[in-house]
Each structure stands twice: as structure tokens, then as C-alpha cells.
Amino acid sequence: MKWQPFMSTFVLNKMCEVISSGVRTDKGFKEVHLNTVAKQVFEFCGQEVSATQVYNHLRKWRNRWIQVSKLRDLSGASWDENTCSIVLEVEHYAGHVPDHPRDAEFLNTPIQNYNQMQHIFSFGLATGKHAMGSGEPLGSPMPDFPGTPDVEILDGPDKPVDRKRKRGSLIEEEINVFCSMTEAVKEVATAIRKCKPLDVHLDLYGVVMTQGGFSDEALMAALSHLLDNKAQGVGFVAMTDAHRMLWLRSWLGKHYY
């Protein structure tokens, strides 16, 4: 299936709610959480998804978080807290992107769902030069697992199918994606759960909907995104008019038009 941007945001928001509710996730999300979110996706937009599809989609976003974490430590890069953007000077950007084209979507533009990724994946995951690759476990490195039979969870009523993978069991993948066994991770996860969500800025609606040069439909789409990403909404209100216009052009060009 193709995950639409609004569906991805919905899933990540629901996972943030799971963490904020006090559920322990330092060893990964349990199947009951994945099933619950899969059901909520259907209720939200009518798209049927399985717990496995939700799990695989979270793996994709975890890989994006690793890439973003590395790029934040890129030499010459600065971080714009208001727009959640990794900023490179024009010459530096022009020199970097041709050699690393996959980095372009994360540079000099607001990073989609940055706050949700940080809330879900930041605990136990080193960043920058200490960041692990997408196939490595969260937190402290785990010992190698011997080759074991794997059970592949399939959609539909069919029974699970045993498959052999070289050091590639589903259990190991789940550990690679979500697991962290250190006390430090537990402390950080607890601190995250205690954090209260930011309130929506009272001026957000007026500031967004009075921007000139955009249709009401486009502005409503941007407003919906900012309401779902409260930190970005607060940052948008704090921007200058010129920066608001730049943010809207960038975000709408990527996600709306």
C-alpha cells in the first residue's frame, strides 16, 4: 500500500499518544498497540491496514530519524529550532547534494513529523558520529544472534509461514527497531512521558489564514499540519512574515500542490 502523508502523521501521533499515556516502550511496541493503531487508521480514513504494515511503516520512519540525526551533525550545518530545519549555506548545499541526493529532502526545508520522530525514536539512539545504521539496534549494541527460524506474519487468515533468514529473524528486527535495555533509556523515556504537550498558540489560526498568495484550501491544509505539530505551530507564529511565506511555499509545494 502507499502511505499518504496525512496517514503517516496520524500513525506517528498515535504512537506518541501511546508513549505519553505511560506505556513502557523501551522494549518496543507490543502487538496490542500496533493492532490498536491499525484499527484507528481504518476509523480515521477507511484504509484497512494490519499491525505488520504499521510496524513496517514505523521502521521506515525510524530510518528517516537516523538520517536526520546524522545530518544535524553535518559540518557547516545549523539547526533552526523554529522550523525544525537543517540549514546549509547555498554553496555548501550545492556542493553536498549532488554527491548525496537522498539528503536533499531533509536540508533547508522543515522536516516532516520531526517532533513525532524525536518523541518516538530519540530515546536510546545516539546521534551524529555516534549514530547507528538502520540495521543496528537502538541503544547499546546487542550481541549477535545465531541464525534461527523466522516466522513471517502475513496479512489475512493464512497461518504464519516459517522462513530461514541469515541472522534475520522477526524477533531480531523488532529489537533492531525498538529495543533498548539500558537504564539510561528508561530514564529518558520516563522523562518524555512526563512532559506535557505544548498548547496550541491562540494566534495560530489568524496568522496562517491571513497569509496572502495562497488559496483558503491550501492554508487550511497547512493549518491542519501545524495543529498536529504543535511545536511547529508555535514556531510559525514567532516567525517574521517573510519566513512564514518561505515556510508555506516550501511545505505546500512538497505536500499539497
Side-chain angles (χ1 to χ4, degrees), residues 166-190:
K166 183 179 180 182
R167 298 182 64 252
S169 69
L170 181 63
I171 294 175
E172 182 181 357
E173 289 182 346
E174 291 195 40
I175 292 174
N176 286 348
V177 177
F178 298 114
C179 182
S180 177
M181 303 295 292
T182 64
E183 289 300 319
V185 171
K186 295 178 182 179
E187 293 175 3
V188 176
T190 299

Side-chain angles (χ1 to χ4, degrees), residues 32-235:
V32 63
H33 304 139
L34 299 173
N35 281 325
T36 297
V37 172
K39 180 179 179 181
Q40 291 171 329
V41 170
F42 177 75
E43 294 172 348
F44 173 63
C45 64
Q47 173 68 55
E48 291 188 0
V49 297
S50 67
T52 305
Q53 287 172 312
V54 173
Y55 164 77
N56 288 334
H57 197 54
L58 288 170
R59 289 182 60 194
K60 166 197 166 183
W61 282 96
R62 189 257 186 178
N63 291 341
R64 291 171 68 88
W65 172 252
I66 291 173
Q67 187 175 2
V68 168
S69 298
K70 289 180 178 179
L71 288 174
R72 284 197 59 173
D73 277 3
L74 187 66
S75 176
S78 60
W79 175 249
D80 188 330
E81 190 69 36
N82 291 329
T83 61
C84 296
S85 304
I86 300 170
V87 181
L88 288 180
E89 296 296 335
V90 175
E91 292 183 359
H92 191 177
Y93 179 91
H96 178 85
V97 169
D99 295 330
H100 307 277
R102 293 184 179 181
D103 293 348
E105 65 174 302
F106 302 111
L107 298 173
N108 291 359
T109 186
I111 297 173
Q112 182 186 12
N113 297 319
Y114 176 85
N115 293 298
Q116 293 94 323
M117 288 192 292
Q118 183 181 47
H119 195 85
I120 297 170
F121 304 120
S122 63
F123 51 86
L125 178 63
T127 59
K129 63 182 179 181
H130 304 294
M132 296 182 175
S134 60
E136 297 176 290
L138 289 169
S140 301
M142 303 287 289
D144 289 344
F145 287 79
T148 56
D150 180 34
V151 177
E152 180 176 295
I153 301 176
L154 302 177
D155 294 342
D158 296 337
K159 294 181 180 180
V161 178
D162 289 336
R163 297 181 184 273
K164 293 280 187 177
R165 293 183 188 173
K166 183 179 180 182
R167 298 182 64 252
S169 69
L170 181 63
I171 294 175
E172 182 181 357
E173 289 182 346
E174 291 195 40
I175 292 174
N176 286 348
V177 177
F178 298 114
C179 182
S180 177
M181 303 295 292
T182 64
E183 289 300 319
V185 171
K186 295 178 182 179
E187 293 175 3
V188 176
T190 299
I192 291 174
R193 288 194 293 267
K194 290 181 179 179
C195 291
K196 295 182 179 179
L198 293 173
D199 292 330
V200 176
H201 199 290
L202 295 177
D203 296 331
L204 181 60
Y205 175 84
V207 170
V208 174
M209 298 306 297
T210 56
Q211 294 297 312
F214 305 97
S215 67
D216 287 344
E217 291 80 5
L219 292 175
M220 285 298 294
L223 177 62
S224 177
H225 170 77
L226 293 172
L227 288 172
D228 288 338
N229 298 270
K230 297 177 182 178
Q232 291 191 36
V234 173

Side-chain angles (χ1 to χ4, degrees), residues 1-9 57 112:
M1 63 169 289
K2 179 177 177 59
W3 287 85
Q4 299 297 329
F6 73 92
M7 294 173 61
S8 297
T9 300
H57 197 54
Q112 182 186 12

